[in-house]
Amino acid sequence: MKRIINLLCCLSLISFGLYAQSGAGSMTVDESVVVVSAGTTEQRFSEGTYFGPKANWEINGTLEIYSKNVWIAPGATFSGTGKIIIYNPGTNPFYPAMASGPTNIDGNNGNFINLIIEHQNTE
């Protein structure tokens, strides 16, 4: 009986590990002041990326997003001289098993983003 329980525990850990490596259900939530300095890169690796209404990003470097869904709440602000690059979630180096697909961006008719935005997702 103890062997069966140990085997079931091992199988559970293995399947959890495989699921975790896909990034399915992962979410990055930001509701703070973030400064990305010139010459630096900030990256988001998750199935969903949410910028809350109090998010205040000053981007003078680069923000790279590898997400299937990007939500920007009304009130979130983006400023600076840098750029935002949107990549296909399937090219995500943190979750190599994440599925490829389009990136859905919902700006919620919020504040204008006065930055260069490169959409590198061909899907």
Side-chain angles (χ1 to χ4, degrees):
M1 182 69 164
K2 187 175 181 182
R3 279 187 162 179
I4 292 172
I5 292 173
N6 286 340
L7 179 61
L8 290 175
C9 286
C10 288
L11 290 175
S12 295
L13 288 174
I14 289 170
S15 55
F16 174 75
L18 294 175
Y19 184 75
Q21 290 303 309
S22 73
S26 60
M27 180 70 121
T28 301
V29 177
D30 190 277
E31 182 77 1
S32 61
V33 175
V34 177
V35 176
V36 182
S37 300
T40 65
T41 301
E42 181 74 24
Q43 298 175 313
R44 293 293 180 259
F45 306 112
S46 58
E47 186 174 70
T49 297
Y50 174 73
F51 297 97
K54 295 180 184 175
N56 181 353
W57 283 68
E58 180 183 337
I59 303 171
N60 295 308
T62 304
L63 171 60
E64 297 179 338
I65 301 174
Y66 295 83
S67 295
K68 177 180 175 183
N69 298 301
V70 178
W71 293 284
I72 303 169
T77 59
F78 295 85
S79 63
T81 58
K83 64 182 171 180
I84 300 171
I85 304 174
I86 308 294
Y87 291 102
N88 187 317
T91 62
N92 184 331
F94 190 74
Y95 292 115
M98 187 173 279
S100 288
T103 300
N104 303 301
I105 303 172
D106 186 350
N108 285 303
N109 294 319
N111 296 322
F112 183 74
I113 298 175
N114 192 20
L115 294 166
I116 294 170
I117 299 176
E118 293 181 17
H119 203 293
Q120 298 290 329
N121 188 347
T122 58
E123 294 189 42

